Amino acid sequence: MLKRHARAACTALAAAGLLLAGTGGATADPTPAAPPAAPSAAATLRTADAPPELLAAMQRDLGLTPTQAKARLAHEAEAGATAARLRDRLGAAFAGAWVDGADAGTLTVATTRAADTAAIRATGARAKLVARTLADLDADRAALDRAAGPATPVRYVDPRSNGLVVEETEAGAAAALLAVTGTDPAAVTVVRTAGAPRPLYDLRGGDAYYMNGSGRCSVGFPVTKGSVNGFATAGHCGRAGTTTSGFNQVTQGSFQASVFPGNDMAWVAANAQWTATPYVKGSGGANVQVTGSVLQPVGASVCRSGSTTGWHCGTIQQHDTSVTYPEGTISGVTRTTVCAEPGDSGGSYLSGSQAQGVTSGGSGNCSSGGTTFFQPLNPILSAYGLTLKVSGSDPGPGPGPGDPEPGGTWKAGTVYATGATVTHGGSTYRCLQGHQAQPGWEPPNVPALWQRV
């Protein structure tokens, strides 16, 4: 039935055509219509619809005129499409592509095969004949990646130079990497860099954070609570439920608990975008490692990191100090000769690599000098069940073959005050310096912290 109806329809259409022809009606043009032109890459990517905010930012940051900004988007779209087609055509000989010019009007495509240059130029692109294919360079970079360490944090292929770039944080680190991997030094450019990349968005002591989108304080010390990352800070910076954003104004987390006055302690739980690190922001922005929380004695040196005044040092003058602020009295803080200013609140105090506390308040400033007080960190860790983020803990010797497990009441993660007693391996120990226990700090391994009794 379907076939019969189709034939009938065709017959009717044919008859209609004859009727038109027989009565002087218009006849069909025997020349087939040209297919519609394919949209350009710029049309496909809708570069003409770029929002004004994007164009304005391009003008500001790239130094472009409005015309150049619009042209650049269109040229980049077309260059990407052209380069992709040429990569497919050149196959294994392809060695990379890039654009130049304020408006990205020049596309260059590199190849290792001289016979390809005419085809490249036929597209309107510049041709560059080079020695190494992109595949070869990628393979060399992969070999470097497998052997690289923290001292060579960045490695990439640079098609413009037809080579590799290795960034090093220590002199000689790149050379050692090339030697280990057997990479040709002639193919590599070494760049010295002051610091290595960090995971997006790190929690670091001394960095700024903002409360409810307005006031600013400073991160004390990054911590964890189970699988949650966060940081300890001053209680006067916010109350439970206060939301925070980071130094970069990215949504960060919220205060989980806060005490002020009485004490000056709080902690913030961060969202999954933020990673706790064992660092405090030091002089010039360098990372200073935190390895523990042993409270240091009066007279010891102490340095403070804050988002307003940065890195400043002094000495510990007194522990267990009481201070009365307009909001009330806090007790148990430590007095120091370190200066601070508004916005530094909550920031980190370090003695060597040992975390001491978070900035509470003070007087004076960092121009004429001043006195500040910090809330000791160990009570914050203990009160909220937090674990200080530390680097490089030594697991210690552990029991020997056939030895029984030590057992006892000592436990990593517990905050021990001076004078506290524990059992470990059948012996009793007394804490000599307040600290948060960590693997490797079992009482027999750290006589500076524990005394056998």
Side-chain angles (χ1 to χ4, degrees):
M1 293 292 291
L2 289 174
K3 289 183 178 179
R4 186 163 63 246
H5 283 298
R7 284 197 296 270
C10 288
T11 302
L13 289 172
L18 291 172
L19 179 62
L20 287 172
T23 59
T27 58
D29 187 342
T31 303
S40 67
T44 299
L45 300 184
R46 299 177 62 179
T47 63
D49 297 334
E53 296 84 359
L54 173 66
L55 296 171
M58 291 176 66
Q59 295 169 49
R60 179 195 66 206
D61 297 337
L62 299 178
L64 305 177
T65 66
T67 300
Q68 288 174 326
K70 294 177 181 179
R72 186 177 184 104
L73 292 175
H75 291 162
E76 289 167 348
E78 300 300 340
T82 300
R85 288 190 287 266
L86 285 170
R87 179 171 187 163
D88 182 68
R89 178 171 180 175
L90 272 53
F94 181 74
W98 59 93
V99 295
D100 288 303
D103 63 357
T106 303
L107 168 66
T108 302
V109 177
T111 181
T112 59
R113 194 166 50 211
D116 294 331
T117 57
I120 294 172
R121 294 190 185 102
T123 67
R126 289 181 178 178
K128 185 174 182 180
L129 189 63
V130 297
R132 307 177 188 91
T133 69
L134 186 61
D136 290 338
L137 292 171
D138 281 337
D140 288 342
R141 180 196 48 76
L144 294 173
D145 290 348
R146 289 189 291 270
T152 50
V154 177
R155 303 152 303 280
Y156 57 87
V157 172
D158 177 22
R160 293 174 184 270
S161 66
N162 191 228
L164 299 163
V165 176
V166 175
E167 295 185 5
E168 64 177 8
T169 60
E170 301 173 4
L177 177 62
L178 301 187
V180 167
T181 58
T183 305
D184 181 8
V188 180
T189 299
V190 177
V191 177
R192 187 68 179 273
T193 182
R198 294 177 285 122
L200 292 177
Y201 309 113
D202 283 347
L203 295 173
R204 180 175 63 162
D207 278 338
Y209 69 92
Y210 298 85
M211 300 82 70
N212 290 335
S214 55
R216 172 171 56 87
C217 275
S218 301
V219 173
F221 291 92
V223 299
T224 58
K225 186 169 185 175
S227 61
V228 176
N229 289 266
F231 59 89
T233 190
H236 74 263
C237 289
R239 295 286 179 256
T242 299
T243 60
T244 67
S245 55
F247 65 92
N248 48 10
Q249 298 287 2
V250 171
T251 299
Q252 183 186 70
S254 63
F255 278 70
Q256 301 299 294
S258 175
V259 177
F260 181 79
N263 297 116
D264 199 358
M265 60 174 68
W267 86 282
V268 172
N271 61 40
Q273 290 180 281
W274 294 82
T275 302
T277 70
Y279 301 122
V280 165
K281 182 179 181 180
S283 179
N287 286 335
V288 178
Q289 290 190 347
V290 178
T291 63
S293 63
V294 179
L295 191 64
Q296 296 301 292
V298 169
S301 63
V302 66
C303 295
R304 180 196 54 72
S305 183
S307 59
T308 298
T309 59
W311 185 254
H312 289 274
C313 300
T315 60
I316 294 174
Q317 293 183 302
Q318 288 93 26
H319 294 302
D320 296 323
T321 303
S322 295
V323 180
T324 298
Y325 297 134
E327 296 86 351
T329 297
I330 60 172
S331 301
V333 295
T334 296
R335 182 173 182 261
T336 78
T337 63
V338 186
C339 69
E341 294 181 11
D344 289 330
S345 285
S348 328
Y349 279 79
L350 273 177
S351 185
S353 63
Q354 297 299 306
Q356 299 298 294
V358 300
T359 303
S360 175
S363 59
N365 56 50
C366 287
S367 297
S368 59
T371 297
T372 52
F373 306 91
F374 68 74
Q375 163 69 56
L377 178 64
N378 285 324
I380 304 177
L381 302 177
S382 180
Y384 302 133
L386 308 174
T387 299
L388 176 66
K389 192 72 174 180
V390 297
S391 61
S393 61
D394 179 6
D403 291 342
E405 289 295 321
T409 60
W410 181 91
K411 185 179 180 181
T414 301
V415 177
Y416 292 106
T418 301
T421 59
V422 298
T423 58
H424 186 277
S427 298
T428 300
Y429 295 85
R430 183 172 59 251
C431 180
L432 300 178
Q433 298 186 73
H435 64 283
Q436 183 171 57
Q438 54 184 280
W441 281 12
E442 295 81 2
N445 298 336
V446 281
L449 301 181
W450 294 98
Q451 179 175 300
R452 186 173 179 175
V453 296

